[in-house]
Amino acid sequence: MTAVRTLVGRCWLRTLAGGLALYALLTLATVRTGNLHLVPSVLVLGAVLVPVTFVTFVYERVHVTRESLPAVAACFAVGGAVGVASAAVLEYDTLRDLGALPMLAVGVIEESCKLLVPVLLLVSGRFPAPRYGVLFGVAAGMGFAALETMGYGLVALIQSRGQIAVVEDVLFLRGVLSPVCHAAWTGIVAAALWRLSGPRSWVRLAAAFVAAVLLHAAWDSTTTVAPHVAIGLVSAALLVTQLRPRRLGLGLARMPSPSPA
């Protein structure tokens, strides 16, 4: 019974349950009435539900103060929008100038653009603890993923001539995969950014960025299930290592206090 109360008390689970209920209501109303005015609501809620839930999960996992919530929201909303816009312009310019855009270049551009807002927060000096790195990275990656998903959902809606079922498939697939894609890749790089405190830290940052770019490029280079599963597992494993208590700077806080003599 205690385990059930603990599970229900988790904010990420309540966010997911409430969001799913609202999404089901909106989808049912759209299908039942055929009202096109409801379609944007379905697109927006369907695209942001998993990203917001996952950011909430990481937020609870890293044990930060409520004062960081505006910064997390900025990473998600502003970081996602700036990242998507910047990446789109850079990719367009590269296509125009070079005539082709290999997947590796896409990975470099997008992984760089998603870091713009987290880097600004790091430079500000307001959030120096290591745990903020992975949190802000995940938030920026999820904001980027949410906006991308909205775009793909809109394209699917137009190409299918208004078939909501097709849009739902796109929203579901991209939503489920987003934590092991953009969130993981940006999270591991941002975590390395927040640990730039020694001579080898630059090597670790370069390794994290190269890993994120290669995983991103490999993901974009295939459309089959098995490679996506393998890439997703590797990405998730790398992110999980950044969520360990000692990596987050929580090792001492979680040590039991000594018994009185």
Side-chain angles (χ1 to χ4, degrees):
M1 196 66 180
T2 302
V4 173
R5 285 198 298 268
T6 301
L7 190 62
V8 173
R10 291 176 179 171
C11 188
W12 71 267
L13 189 60
R14 297 198 304 271
T15 300
L16 179 61
L20 285 173
L22 290 174
Y23 179 75
L25 178 64
L26 281 170
T27 304
L28 180 61
T30 303
V31 173
R32 185 76 178 269
T33 65
N35 188 348
L36 293 178
H37 293 89
L38 294 176
V39 173
S41 299
V42 173
L43 276 174
V44 172
L45 184 56
V48 304
L49 177 56
V50 172
V52 169
T53 299
F54 191 67
V55 172
T56 305
F57 169 79
V58 175
Y59 174 84
E60 292 183 318
R61 181 85 172 101
V62 301
H63 302 284
V64 295
T65 61
R66 292 182 181 272
E67 285 73 16
S68 64
L69 277 175
V72 175
C75 280
F76 186 91
V78 181
V82 170
V84 167
S86 302
V89 171
L90 290 173
E91 289 169 10
Y92 174 79
D93 288 342
T94 304
L95 278 170
R96 182 189 59 193
D97 296 338
L98 302 181
L101 188 61
M103 292 304 175
L104 197 60
V106 173
V108 171
I109 290 171
E110 294 192 0
E111 292 309 317
S112 300
C113 291
K114 286 187 290 180
L115 291 170
L116 293 175
V117 172
V119 166
L120 288 177
L121 289 171
L122 175 61
V123 172
S124 73
R126 294 174 54 207
F127 307 100
R131 57 187 178 273
Y132 288 107
V134 65
L135 175 61
F136 292 158
V138 166
M142 287 283 80
F144 188 99
L147 290 174
E148 262 198 343
T149 298
M150 288 183 205
Y152 279 98
L154 179 60
V155 170
L157 181 70
I158 295 172
Q159 291 179 344
S160 66
R161 299 178 183 270
Q163 297 295 318
I164 293 296
V166 175
V167 178
E168 286 183 316
D169 290 342
V170 171
L171 296 177
F172 175 77
L173 182 61
R174 290 187 62 85
V176 168
L177 295 176
S178 58
V180 297
C181 298
H182 287 296
W185 302 331
T186 314
I188 61 176
V189 179
L193 267 174
W194 255 257
R195 296 193 183 95
L196 285 178
S197 58
R200 292 188 58 82
S201 60
W202 287 100
V203 176
R204 289 193 293 269
L205 174 60
F209 185 76
V210 169
V213 169
L214 290 178
L215 289 167
H216 192 149
W219 184 279
D220 289 345
S221 299
T222 182
T223 57
T224 53
V225 175
H228 277 167
V229 171
I231 296 166
L233 288 174
V234 172
S235 302
L238 290 174
L239 180 61
V240 167
T241 62
Q242 302 303 323
L243 293 174
R244 292 176 178 172
R246 290 195 177 275
R247 286 258 184 184
L248 298 171
L250 300 174
L252 294 176
R254 290 190 171 208
M255 291 178 63
S257 56
S259 301

